[in-house]
Amino acid sequence: MKRIRNFLNVDSGQSITETALVIPIFLLLVWGVFEFGRIVFTFSSLNNASREAARFGAAVGLTANNIPNYLDCAAIREHTRNTAFLTGLQDSEIQIAYDTPVTNTQNMTIFAQCGDPDLDSSDIKQGDRIVVTV
């Protein structure tokens, strides 16, 4: 009986040591899962913000400033930031451009950036696209 009691006392120290060795690896794995989820969320949020901003700019109508949607850079940027509100997106990280599709290809020919002083509504023709890059 005495031998069994001595054996049990030795075993309890071993389990503490094993737990001390396994806990850091387990916590690192859990932290990695959370970080990966945050990265996927951020990527998805920015992708969606870019798509929604281009959709807003392509919509027919006037903004509150009585400017066509596709020419109101401030409204497009604000719409982008509102869509990706958890990402901390800044205006400098949002590029808005206009392009003309090249016939029978997927290539783009960018001819103007939003906010150019020389850009007016006559420069943009039907069929031109708005490109929002985040």
Side-chain angles (χ1 to χ4, degrees):
M1 193 71 161
K2 190 174 183 181
R3 284 180 132 178
I4 293 175
R5 237 181 268 151
N6 286 343
F7 180 73
L8 291 176
N9 289 340
V10 173
D11 232 9
S12 64
Q14 180 182 355
S15 64
I16 292 173
T17 305
E18 288 176 355
T19 304
L21 291 173
V22 171
I23 280 182
I25 296 169
F26 176 72
L27 291 177
L28 185 65
L29 183 66
V30 169
W31 176 75
V33 168
F34 279 109
E35 270 308 295
F36 183 74
R38 189 178 67 84
I39 289 170
V40 169
F41 171 77
T42 303
F43 175 78
S44 175
S45 182
L46 292 175
N47 190 19
N48 188 39
S50 175
R51 188 176 342 124
E52 284 295 318
R55 189 170 150 237
F56 173 80
V60 176
L62 302 175
T63 61
N65 302 332
N66 210 19
I67 301 172
N69 284 347
Y70 61 91
L71 287 178
D72 196 350
C73 303
I76 294 171
R77 285 190 172 93
E78 180 182 352
H79 194 74
T80 307
R81 282 192 318 274
N82 290 342
T83 304
F85 60 93
L86 289 176
T87 60
L89 198 58
Q90 303 297 319
D91 281 348
S92 62
E93 299 169 329
I94 304 168
Q95 287 86 33
I96 305 165
Y98 305 95
D99 77 339
T100 302
V102 179
T103 310
N104 297 330
T105 65
Q106 294 296 323
N107 295 336
M108 298 185 300
T109 305
I110 293 180
F111 65 86
Q113 297 286 332
C114 192
D116 285 347
D118 300 333
L119 181 66
D120 62 1
S121 60
S122 63
D123 293 338
I124 301 171
K125 300 170 193 63
Q126 186 173 2
D128 290 343
R129 297 181 288 197
I130 185 167
V131 180
V132 179
T133 307
V134 177

